[in-house]
Amino acid sequence: MGMRNHELVPAALVAAIAALKHGGCHKVLRELIKHKLVVYERGKHADGFRLTNTGYDYLALKTLASREIITGFGSQIGVGKESDIYVVQNQEGRRLALKLHRLGRTSFRKIKEKRDYLKHRTSASWLYYSRLAALKEFAFMKVLYGRGFPVPKPVDCNRHCLVMQLLENCYPLCQVREVADPGDLYDKLMSLIVKLADHGLIHCDFNEFNILISDKDEPTIIDFPQMISISHANAEMYFDRDIACIREFFKRRFDYESEEFPTFADINREDNLDHEVSASGFSKEMDSELLREILTAPSQFDEEDNDTATDEEVDDGEQVAQDSSDASEDEEKFLAAEKENSFTPLCDPDVTSRVQDYLRSADATASAELEETCAKRALQSGDSDDGESLFSAGVGSRISSKQVDKDYVRARIKKSLHNEGKKQRRRIRIKGEASAVTRSRRDNAQSLKECPVWGYD
């Protein structure tokens, strides 16, 4: 939890989250460091603890074991630039595949350029990247498996771990040297690319490393985190790249080349899977446009009803049109009023009247107090004219309730909230931060001593 907004989590925050005493927290952290589940690092501004990949694996596996999804752990059967794959066993003794996402490796670190996992956020830890990738892939596999696509059956997902069906007697296409009919397999793969596009998705990494072939030369697709929508700005480029990858592989491996291949113009949308899983490239604006088209598209039954409409139905249509025009006029009036009164909550008549009553009473109280104070000072000094002038100057300097507007109310509320926030804000120095600052000052002093600076003693 602490690593959501901390690169290095201080011991005090760990103790607060875990609800442990300070001494007990240090004892537990020492045990975790001994097993390399947590590491202690010295940062530039502060020192703290960081969760390792092994510790994140332990948390995910413990959750899956408590759900009785997996009961046994086997050997590693695959490794890639962003994941590791192991064989696991469930409670019934059936073997499954466990995929651990490992984003942040040296071979694959350009996440911001190639993926839009963070969207509006600017930075995050590699563990959080891995978790987002696993959740995204699980969502894609679930909708594709439900639509009958040849993908492994998804079982469960927790953190960066994804449990899926283990495909027996299937091999990666890159390891296959011969097939019975290269032309038939080529047609199946091209049909899969087009079928995915017809459902609104593009694989973006459709190559021999992400395709499994069974003994009967039936293909199965794997690896889905990078999938995008056909509405993406670069959708055509990714679609053509997937086609080119398959054509080049078949030409190089099986010496098969076909002049027939699909293009991006051949796509005929049949489903909206990109909308269902919020694929990259499908924005909220496109969602509203799609909904508007669905609602306004005339159906066959509507056309038949329009051809056989009676006079009564025509009258009903005119009434509906009149109601819709009235509704649109009301909406325009509401938008105009909203634009005119941008500060809506304080521009309500009831709220404004209450605020004016409060300010009027405050002015009356302050005037009475000021008058009483001036009178006392005048009696003490014996000079009533100065008191009257002081009273008149003080009263004249205040804003009357008749001149109160929304800008003045907004400024006063904003100022009061700002002052309250400044009062509540306290500087809490975490354990380790003081030592980090002292260490940096000591280093600077040592550097100055070593440098031949004139006048330094």
Side-chain angles (χ1 to χ4, degrees):
M1 278 182 72
M3 292 190 66
R4 289 182 177 179
N5 50 8
H6 288 77
E7 184 179 358
L8 298 175
V9 185
L13 182 58
V14 176
I17 294 175
L20 296 174
K21 294 183 179 179
H22 202 62
C25 179
H26 277 284
K27 188 181 298 183
V28 173
L29 287 173
R30 281 200 305 268
E31 290 294 324
L32 295 176
I33 292 175
K34 185 188 301 182
H35 294 88
K36 298 182 179 180
L37 302 178
V38 174
V39 294
Y40 180 79
E41 293 183 356
R42 291 175 175 267
K44 183 178 180 181
H45 302 288
D47 304 339
F49 299 89
R50 178 178 59 82
L51 186 66
T52 62
N53 287 326
T54 307
Y56 205 51
D57 295 345
Y58 176 80
L59 292 174
L61 292 175
K62 185 177 183 301
T63 304
L64 293 174
S66 63
R67 295 178 184 174
E68 298 182 353
I69 300 298
I70 60 175
T71 56
F73 201 88
S75 59
Q76 185 176 4
I77 59 174
V79 60
K81 65 180 183 298
E82 54 179 319
S83 62
D84 295 333
I85 303 176
Y86 295 86
V87 177
V88 295
Q89 189 177 9
N90 64 357
Q91 194 174 11
E92 300 174 355
R94 188 163 53 93
R95 299 203 307 168
L96 301 172
L98 175 67
K99 184 175 182 180
L100 303 175
H101 287 262
R102 302 288 194 202
L103 273 70
R105 286 175 171 167
T106 307
S107 59
F108 190 70
R109 286 194 171 182
K110 296 184 177 181
I111 300 295
K112 292 183 181 179
E113 298 179 8
K114 301 180 182 298
R115 309 282 170 84
D116 61 344
Y117 292 155
L118 295 185
K119 295 183 179 179
H120 61 280
R121 294 184 59 178
T122 56
S123 62
S125 64
W126 292 116
L127 298 180
Y128 185 67
Y129 274 116
S130 302
R131 177 179 176 271
L132 293 180
L135 293 175
K136 206 172 187 67
E137 184 170 13
F138 183 74
F140 281 123
M141 291 181 64
K142 199 169 182 181
V143 297
L144 291 176
Y145 185 81
R147 296 300 197 283
F149 282 86
V151 299
K153 179 181 179 181
V155 178
D156 200 354
C157 179
N158 182 261
R159 292 180 173 89
H160 67 307
C161 294
L162 175 61
V163 183
M164 67 186 82
Q165 172 191 2
L166 179 64
L167 300 176
E168 304 285 353
N169 300 324
C170 289
Y171 309 94
L173 184 58
C174 60
Q175 300 178 4
V176 177
R177 300 297 174 182
E178 294 181 359
V179 293
D181 189 355
D184 182 59
L185 181 59
Y186 175 86
D187 294 338
K188 291 180 180 178
L189 295 178
M190 293 297 176
S191 299
L192 274 177
I193 296 176
V194 176
K195 185 178 179 181
L196 281 172
D198 290 342
H199 284 73
L201 295 173
I202 298 177
H203 192 277
C204 295
D205 200 10
F206 201 88
N207 52 40
E208 63 272 19
F209 301 100
N210 296 325
I211 300 173
L212 302 180
I213 302 298
S214 64
D215 295 337
K216 299 180 181 180
D217 293 345
E218 293 294 332
T220 303
I221 316 172
I222 59 174
D223 194 14
F224 307 99
Q226 71 286 336
M227 294 184 74
I228 64 172
S229 169
I230 59 174
S231 302
H232 194 275
N234 301 324
E236 185 173 0
M237 184 268 290
Y238 287 117
F239 182 86
D240 295 340
R241 190 179 70 176
D242 289 347
I243 297 295
C245 286
I246 298 300
R247 296 189 66 199
E248 292 175 2
F249 175 77
F250 271 77
K251 181 180 179 181
R252 182 178 66 253
R253 178 64 58 87
F254 305 118
D255 195 19
Y256 177 83
E257 186 176 6
S258 175
E259 297 181 356
E260 297 180 357
F261 57 90
T263 60
F264 191 76
D266 298 333
I267 298 176
N268 185 17
R269 182 187 280 270
E270 300 176 358
D271 204 344
N272 301 312
L273 294 186
D274 51 346
H275 170 224
E276 187 172 343
V277 297
S278 299
S280 175
F282 194 91
S283 60
K284 294 182 179 180
E285 291 77 9
M286 297 178 183
D287 189 9
S288 60
E289 291 177 3
L290 179 62
L291 182 61
R292 190 182 303 111
E293 291 179 1
I294 293 174
L295 294 176
T296 58
S299 62
Q300 181 179 0
F301 300 102
D302 295 338
E303 294 177 357
E304 294 178 357
D305 293 340
N306 291 333
D307 294 339
T308 59
T310 59
D311 297 337
E312 183 178 357
E313 291 174 345
V314 172
D315 295 338
D316 293 339
E318 293 177 354
Q319 182 65 30
V320 170
Q322 181 66 26
D323 295 340
S324 62
S325 62
D326 296 340
S328 60
E329 291 178 0
D330 295 339
E331 184 178 0
E332 291 177 358
K333 292 180 181 178
F334 174 76
L335 294 176
E338 187 177 8
K339 182 180 294 186
E340 183 179 359
N341 300 325
S342 58
F343 196 62
T344 308
L346 293 179
C347 293
D348 186 80
D350 298 335
V351 178
T352 305
S353 62
R354 288 199 297 269
V355 171
Q356 290 180 352
D357 294 339
Y358 169 76
L359 294 176
R360 191 180 298 109
S361 62
D363 289 338
T365 305
S367 301
E369 292 177 355
L370 185 59
E371 184 178 359
E372 183 179 358
T373 304
C374 294
K376 289 180 180 179
R377 290 181 180 178
L379 291 175
Q380 292 175 0
S381 60
D383 189 0
S384 60
D385 295 336
D386 295 341
E388 292 177 359
S389 63
L390 179 63
F391 170 71
S392 61
V395 173
S397 62
R398 296 185 60 85
I399 301 176
S400 65
S401 59
K402 295 181 179 180
Q403 298 176 354
V404 174
D405 58 352
K406 59 181 181 180
D407 296 331
Y408 175 69
V409 174
R410 179 189 297 178
R412 287 194 58 173
I413 293 176
K414 186 176 180 180
K415 185 178 180 180
S416 62
L417 292 176
H418 180 68
N419 293 336
E420 289 294 330
K422 287 179 64 177
K423 291 179 182 178
Q424 295 178 2
R425 191 182 305 117
R426 295 179 180 178
R427 181 72 173 94
I428 301 176
R429 176 155 289 186
I430 60 177
K431 182 177 179 61
E433 184 175 352
S435 61
V437 174
T438 305
R439 186 170 61 250
S440 63
R441 290 176 179 174
R442 191 181 299 116
D443 295 340
N444 291 337
Q446 186 66 24
S447 300
L448 289 175
K449 287 181 179 180
E450 295 176 357
C451 296
V453 181
W454 179 82
Y456 181 80
D457 188 4

